[in-house]
């Protein structure tokens, strides 16, 4: 009997992960735009499973700030807080700068192999114009740089910022029609070279310029598209 219960729990756990992974990608890729209603019954029919794993997946997404439960108990994809975006950008640029600077100062030889491997994966995603892969490999690259800086507090904060900003990055890549110029890969290569050379000042400057370019592009996008094609 215990084995049957354990098997059922594993099956439910895999179902929760499948629903969570698919919905998370759809939200982050703006397939489910901000403000979209989330209906547990429809999701249960779509995934052909009970509402329990659906509800557990939604709890995980809620914990990441990707969905909101309203006072009337209806659920929707959370809105992007464009009004306070400047505070997010300030924190993001700071984390790019400090983590790259620390990586130049404290990295170990084995760190560089992982950092370069992530940038190679990012280059492939850029070549294939795979926006979701670009977002995930870019995050993996910069988190590996942060980890090389040996400050887990900065790494944790940077991961949170990168996770929260995935929908912003999706808009950012959309502004290039998902065809990123090769210079984005080259920018990473320059940062990695500066880190490897333990050039702290250059590493910080390149990271700052890289982050500020992202901020400027998103800001231009928001100004140019005062009414974005998503429900805010």
């Amino acid at each position: 009997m215990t084995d049957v219960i354990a098997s059922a729990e594993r099956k439910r756990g895999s179902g929760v992960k499948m629903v969570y992974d698919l919905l998370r990608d759809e939200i982050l890729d703006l397939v489910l735009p901000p403000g979209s209603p989330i209906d547990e019954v429809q999701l249960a029919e779509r995934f052909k499973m009970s509402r329990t794993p659906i509800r557990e997946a939604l709890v995980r997404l809620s914990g990441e700030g990707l969905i909101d439960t309203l006072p009337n108990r209806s659920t929707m994809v959370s809105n992007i807080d464009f009004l306070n975006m400047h505070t997010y950008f300030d924190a993001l640029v700071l984390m790019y700068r400090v983590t790259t600077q620390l990586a130049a100062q404290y990295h170990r030889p084995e760190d560089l192999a992982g950092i370069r491997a992530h940038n190679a994966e990012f280059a492939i995603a850029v070549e294939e114009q795979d926006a979701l892969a670009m977002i995930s490999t870019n995050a993996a690259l910069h988190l590996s740089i942060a980890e090389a800086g040996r400050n887990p507090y900065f790494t944790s904060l940077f991961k949170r910022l990168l996770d929260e900003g995935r929908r912003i990055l999706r808009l950012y890549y959309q502004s290039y029609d998902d065809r990123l110029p090769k210079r984005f890969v080259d920018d990473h290569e320059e940062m990695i070279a500066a880190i490897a050379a333990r050039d702290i000042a250059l590493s910080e400057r390149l990271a700052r310029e890289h982050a500020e370019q992202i901020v400027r592009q998103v800001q231009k996008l928001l100004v140019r598209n005062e009414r974005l094609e998503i429900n805010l």
Side-chain angles (χ1 to χ4, degrees):
M1 183 67 176
T2 302
D3 290 342
V4 172
I5 293 174
S7 176
E9 288 179 347
R10 283 195 298 271
K11 183 177 180 181
R12 189 180 76 184
S14 63
V16 171
K17 185 177 186 308
M18 180 190 70
V19 174
Y20 164 81
D21 287 342
L22 285 172
L23 289 180
R24 189 172 191 269
D25 279 348
E26 289 180 355
I27 292 171
L28 294 173
D29 198 28
L30 301 178
V31 173
L32 291 174
S36 297
I38 301 291
D39 189 299
E40 288 184 17
V41 175
Q42 291 181 355
L43 289 175
E45 293 175 353
R46 172 186 173 186
F47 293 108
K48 294 181 172 53
M49 60 180 63
S50 71
R51 293 174 64 178
T52 299
I54 300 294
R55 193 171 294 117
E56 290 181 22
L58 294 180
V59 167
R60 288 184 62 183
L61 292 169
S62 177
E64 294 184 12
L66 292 176
I67 65 170
D68 292 325
T69 300
L70 304 179
N72 61 4
R73 302 194 66 78
S74 62
T75 304
M76 58 176 277
V77 177
S78 63
N79 290 319
I80 300 173
D81 187 6
F82 288 112
L83 291 178
N84 292 309
M85 194 59 62
H86 64 285
T87 59
Y88 172 80
F89 287 148
D90 287 345
L92 184 69
V93 172
L94 178 61
M95 283 301 99
Y96 267 94
R97 293 172 57 198
V98 71
T99 56
T100 308
Q101 176 178 317
L102 289 175
Q105 187 171 2
Y106 295 115
H107 77 268
R108 298 169 184 166
E110 60 268 25
D111 295 323
L112 296 176
I115 291 170
R116 289 179 175 128
H118 287 308
N119 197 41
E121 293 170 351
F122 176 74
I124 292 171
V126 170
E127 180 68 25
E128 295 178 351
Q129 298 174 24
D130 185 337
L132 283 182
M134 283 187 263
I135 292 170
S136 63
T137 56
N138 179 75
L141 166 66
H142 287 288
L143 286 176
S144 68
I145 290 173
E147 288 166 356
R150 302 291 183 281
N151 187 314
Y153 296 101
F154 286 145
T155 302
S156 177
L157 176 56
F158 201 14
K159 183 179 187 305
R160 175 185 165 189
L161 291 170
L162 290 171
D163 284 343
E164 289 184 7
R166 282 186 63 173
R167 288 189 290 178
I168 300 301
L169 273 181
R170 187 68 192 94
L171 292 173
Y172 171 69
Y173 290 147
Q174 280 183 352
S175 72
Y176 289 98
D177 295 324
D178 295 340
R179 296 178 176 87
L180 287 191
K182 185 179 180 298
R183 75 169 187 273
F184 286 80
V185 178
D186 296 338
D187 286 349
H188 286 163
E189 293 287 358
E190 290 180 11
M191 272 189 281
I192 295 169
I195 291 169
R198 298 196 183 277
D199 191 329
I200 296 172
L202 179 60
S203 296
E204 188 274 335
R205 179 174 65 79
L206 291 173
R208 173 174 50 79
E209 291 173 353
H210 183 67
E212 288 177 347
Q213 188 280 330
I214 295 172
V215 171
R216 285 195 302 272
Q217 181 69 12
V218 173
Q219 288 174 334
K220 285 193 296 185
L221 174 68
L222 298 181
V223 170
R224 186 168 66 246
N225 298 283
E226 293 181 0
R227 300 182 64 184
L228 295 173
E229 294 302 319
I230 52 178
N231 180 17
L232 301 180

